Amino acid sequence: MENCIFCKIVRGEIPARKAYEDDRVLAFHDIHPQRPTHLLVIPKKHIDSLAQATPEDEAVLGRMLAVSQQLARDNGSPDGFRCIINTGRVGGQEVAHLHMHIVGGPDPVGPMLKKI
Ligand code: AMP
Ligand code: ZN
């Protein structure tokens, strides 16, 4: 994906504060953190969103979750954290490369959704 901003981060074409990397996933700090800990975990392979994931993506989706606990612990959120995957228009997804937010810090991140 030529112009995808997160693919560019994977290829090293734009900088990011990397927190973890392996053969399938990359984690880096969100550029506009909304909590003291705010990381993004992405598949290195481009997938538009969770709505486009296929059974072949099971391994990478599992990896994204599996690395979250250590990432949170190592980045200022030892007592728990929240994973968020915004998906598509309804989910409020802004960057069209599947990504999981890990948010946390010393204090509770707050209610899950604003009441409507
Ligand atoms: P979402 O609304 O779930 O699509 O979230 C996209 C997230 O990507 C936002 O929290 C942005 O702050 C973050 N973001 C956008 N561009 C970059 C970048 N170049 N490096 C790190 N985080 C980014
Ligand atoms: Zn991409």
Side-chain angles (χ1 to χ4, degrees), residues 6 9-11 18-28 40-47 57-68 71 97-100 102:
F6 288 174
I9 289 175
V10 171
R11 293 195 296 264
K18 290 184 186 177
Y20 175 78
E21 180 167 15
D22 63 29
D23 58 324
R24 293 188 196 274
V25 304
L26 174 66
F28 50 95
L40 299 174
V41 186
I42 68 170
K44 285 190 166 176
K45 166 197 165 185
H46 181 92
I47 303 169
D57 299 321
E58 268 184 29
V60 73
L61 294 172
R63 183 75 61 83
M64 288 166 65
L65 289 171
V67 300
S68 63
L71 271 167
H97 180 129
L98 172 59
H99 53 280
M100 180 176 79
I102 298 176

Side-chain angles (χ1 to χ4, degrees), residues 5 12 16 23 27 31 37 45 47 54 61 68 71 77 86 113:
I5 189 165
D23 58 324
I31 204 164
T37 301
K45 166 197 165 185
I47 303 169
T54 68
L61 294 172
S68 63
L71 271 167
S77 200
N86 297 322
L113 293 172

